[in-house]
Amino acid sequence: MSSPEELRRQDHIRVAAEVARKGRWARRGRRAWGLLRSRPGQLITVGVVSALIGGLLTAWQTDSLPWSDEKQAMCWGALPKKEAEALFRPDRSVRAEEIRPTHGGADVQGACRLLALDDGGPVAHIDFRLHQLDGRYDAQSAGWLTDFLSPLSVPFGKGFVGMASESRTWLALPKGCGDGRGITGPAVVDASWGRPPMSLDEDRHWRDQTARATVRLANGAMRALGCDGTFPLPGRLPAVPPLKDTEPRRLCGVDGLTLPRSKDQDQRWGWLDETLLTHSPGTARVCGVGTRDLTIRGRPRLRLVTVESPRLAQVLSDRTDRNEAPDYEKRGRSSVGRDLALYQTMCQTGLVVFLVQDDGTGMDDLPRKLLPRYAAAEAERLGCGPVKVELPR
């Protein structure tokens, strides 16, 4: 005959399974499971909740959790556990550490770190983050645009403002969702990691999985913030564009855009012998020029970028207005520094920014020399009408 303690344990399991089957208290049960994993052995004996938690603890001890793995979700309740595990090697278990999305009035924030575990210890991780790009009061936003608008990125597809690469992925929430007072930049969900947890042969497949996970978390953030609508999950993303030899007289595919060369710069120009060009319509056109380590480190020596998303462009505009002395013109305005020159103007779709950034070419005044022709050609491509860029002295 079973002991009274064993009978109580069996009754706990029966009650917990029945409650889970009917869908009642499911949310509380998941919270209880999280509590029990962090404090195993404790029982809270208060009514039906006592029975549910007791059953969960017993199931945890016997590896027979009443809810199946397929129904468990991580990262704000948005990412199925099996999809989270698929982001890492199959012999790893996965744990999530998260801060649920909140809207503090000024901006939004949220975070989820997925940890791959080996013998209980973390061996790899992916960081997902919800935050708002703010060019006026957050100096890091300009650096974020440099890191996440990468020539190694590819588009999600039509209807998305976002891009995905082998090291970073991001997606902007719709206008009005998570927007803070006085902040014109979009709220974004992004993902970053030090190196792919998979092998190089699996990079493309793994990148697609990470993009879908980012979309799931964006949908989870929208639900948490009370926003309407959802993003569809993207299919297979396009391959990264091939690395090509730099065309010095047709730089980044722009007719008539010429890399200046002189005898004393011939050796330095060797830094700019390879080009990567990617385009996510409605988001950005990004060209990186450098050496073959572009595909390894993703760091171009020269970047020519057209920011087509008006809200992303506004982040740069706000930052420029704060730190530069803009030169106002009839159709747009420009600013120039030692390593960066940009021009902003209004097109049919809204604000657009064209920029040239030098990150160690060793060539004198390169952004100033390249921006006027680059901005004029890109404005024509977008149908913005003719523009004449006159940079301030």
Side-chain angles (χ1 to χ4, degrees), residues 11 44 144 217 223 275 288 331 369:
D11 188 58
I44 305 173
W144 184 95
L217 264 71
R223 287 194 299 271
T275 296
R331 291 211 54 225
K369 295 174 181 176

Side-chain angles (χ1 to χ4, degrees), residues 6 52-53 105 142 157 162 258 349 355 374 378:
E6 181 61 24
L52 175 61
I53 294 177
T258 302
T349 55
L355 69 87
Y374 176 71
E378 281 292 277

Side-chain angles (χ1 to χ4, degrees), residues 108 129-133 144 170-173 186-190 312:
V108 294
R129 185 172 57 136
L130 167 68
H131 61 110
Q132 190 154 20
L133 299 177
W144 184 95
W170 67 277
L171 180 63
L173 302 189
V188 300
V189 172
D190 62 41
L312 285 181

Side-chain angles (χ1 to χ4, degrees), residues 213-235:
T214 303
V215 172
R216 286 197 183 277
L217 264 71
N219 287 335
M222 291 167 63
R223 287 194 299 271
L225 297 173
C227 305
D228 295 331
T230 58
F231 290 109
L233 292 180

Side-chain angles (χ1 to χ4, degrees), residues 9 20 161 283 339:
R9 289 164 62 89
V161 176
T283 301
D339 301 324

Side-chain angles (χ1 to χ4, degrees), residues 1-14:
M1 180 179 295
S2 301
S3 66
E5 177 65 21
E6 181 61 24
L7 290 174
R8 281 195 295 272
R9 289 164 62 89
Q10 293 176 2
D11 188 58
H12 288 164
I13 295 174
R14 181 186 61 78

Side-chain angles (χ1 to χ4, degrees), residues 254 279-285 305-310 313 331 343-355 374-387:
V254 177
H279 185 205
S280 178
T283 301
R285 179 186 189 270
V305 182
T306 301
V307 183
E308 299 178 9
S309 164
R331 291 211 54 225
Y343 179 82
Q344 59 188 63
T345 190
M346 294 299 295
C347 293
Q348 295 91 330
T349 55
L351 184 66
V352 177
V353 168
F354 313 99
L355 69 87
Y374 176 71
E378 281 292 277
E380 183 179 355
R381 176 182 67 83
L382 292 173
C384 305
V387 300

